[in-house]
Amino acid sequence: MLNGKKIVVVMPAYNAEKTLKKTYDEIYHDIVDEVILTDDKSSDNTKDISVDLNITTIIHKENRGYGGNQKTCYTAALKSNADIIIMLHPDYQYSPKLIPAIASMLAFEEYDTVIASRMLSDALKGGMPLYKYIANKFLTAFENLFLGQHLSEYHTGFRGFKRKVLETLPLDECDDDFVFDNEMLALVRYYGFSTGELSCPVKYFPEASSINFARSCKYGFGVLGVSIKYLLAYTGIYKSRIFKKNAKKLDINAELPYYHKS
């Protein structure tokens, strides 16, 4: 709890057995009221470790993809009456020690959304592959131009939201794969919510999740497409699926396949 706001951390997980406990142990539990993990049909023991840690655990019977996993995470957080929702990958690529800073920026009404930017730190020194660094810089410049913003990156998986953001955005219409992250930030801008940033150290290591070159290319083209669709919708030329009025939002009344409730 912070400034009277319930803080919930959500963890979209896939084969995170080697890093989950380390990540969880560095969460400030005096501030975070609940941790929710959604296991996207992992082939390892992620779900069992999650239960052992007394984390609220949800199991997908079928793999729904990175975006689909987040949809379940956010639905569960809203159902738990969270005021502030922070997404943290359980692969220890992002530092849980930044959660209080992210939560403060939201709980004290400074921003509606906060992202932890790796590009405000020395990303290459932290192990980010050069091709990803260059692609990140290029895509971010393209997105800033089309979205009219000045963010340092759009591709971090460490981010926080006020409840009203998740209730407003038509996230159910978004992609079930990695471009979900990008669509989400474009929608934050489209619906007039503010976005703040803070610096986040980069940590690349074998156990940290990362998409390969082919999927990175697919993601990159997806990002370009989102930016173009945003501009077309903003100018009123054409409104694609996620930028249409009455697009489908998350259903907080939906039944979720809880494996364990903390």
Side-chain angles (χ1 to χ4, degrees):
M1 192 76 71
L2 187 63
N3 195 31
K5 307 291 176 63
K6 181 177 180 179
I7 312 296
V8 172
V9 169
V10 297
M11 305 173 87
Y14 181 71
N15 292 342
E17 67 175 9
K18 294 180 179 179
T19 54
L20 173 56
K21 187 178 187 304
K22 188 174 184 179
T23 303
Y24 179 80
D25 286 345
E26 291 190 10
I27 293 174
Y28 288 87
H29 297 282
D30 55 336
I31 292 177
V32 174
D33 298 282
E34 185 177 3
V35 179
I36 299 173
L37 180 143
T38 300
D39 183 88
D40 200 25
K41 200 180 180 183
S42 294
S43 59
D44 63 7
N45 295 315
T46 297
K47 63 180 183 297
D48 299 317
I49 294 172
S50 182
V51 170
D52 288 343
L53 293 170
N54 201 32
I55 298 173
T56 297
T57 307
I58 301 170
I59 306 296
H60 285 167
K61 294 182 179 179
E62 301 294 334
N63 185 281
R64 299 186 186 179
Y66 175 64
N69 204 2
Q70 281 192 66
K71 292 175 187 180
T72 301
C73 283
Y74 295 137
T75 300
L78 292 175
K79 287 173 74 70
S80 73
N81 297 314
D83 297 302
I84 304 297
I85 300 92
I86 298 174
M87 181 180 75
L88 172 68
H89 290 182
D91 64 355
Y92 201 64
Q93 187 174 140
Y94 301 97
S95 175
K97 296 175 182 177
L98 293 179
I99 288 174
I102 294 174
S104 295
M105 294 168 75
L106 297 166
F108 290 98
E109 308 295 334
E110 295 296 333
Y111 295 99
D112 300 313
T113 298
V114 174
I115 60 174
S117 172
R118 299 162 299 174
M119 305 307 281
L120 290 175
S121 68
D122 193 340
L124 289 175
K125 186 177 179 180
M128 180 180 285
L130 180 60
Y131 82 89
K132 288 193 174 185
Y133 180 85
I134 294 172
N136 193 317
K137 285 287 190 180
F138 169 77
L139 291 173
T140 295
F142 188 91
E143 291 169 280
N144 279 332
L145 178 64
F146 276 64
L147 274 66
Q149 296 196 117
H150 302 282
L151 298 181
S152 63
E153 80 158 317
Y154 291 77
H155 317 292
T156 173
F158 193 10
R159 45 183 66 187
F161 306 92
K162 288 182 180 178
R163 180 184 183 88
K164 66 179 180 180
V165 174
L166 298 186
E167 289 178 326
T168 302
L169 304 185
L171 298 181
D172 199 55
E173 296 282 4
C174 290
D175 190 74
D176 284 336
D177 206 348
F178 285 97
V179 79
F180 175 92
D181 272 355
N182 204 252
E183 289 178 329
M184 198 173 188
L185 290 183
L187 285 168
V188 166
R189 175 67 167 169
Y190 187 73
Y191 279 84
F193 292 114
S194 60
T195 301
E197 295 183 279
L198 61 96
S199 177
C200 177
V202 176
K203 290 184 287 187
Y204 274 78
F205 52 96
E207 290 79 16
S209 63
S210 183
I211 58 177
N212 58 32
F213 181 77
R215 297 198 74 186
S216 294
C217 291
K218 179 183 177 182
Y219 170 77
F221 284 115
V223 167
L224 297 177
V226 171
S227 301
I228 293 170
K229 290 173 184 176
Y230 169 90
L231 186 61
L232 291 174
Y234 179 77
T235 55
I237 297 173
Y238 172 73
K239 294 189 177 182
S240 56
R241 185 183 73 254
I242 64 172
F243 295 111
K244 286 182 179 178
K245 286 186 177 180
N246 302 318
K248 193 175 180 182
K249 302 174 184 178
L250 295 176
D251 180 10
I252 64 171
N253 296 314
E255 290 295 324
L256 297 176
Y258 287 104
Y259 182 73
H260 171 76
K261 265 267 201 180
S262 63

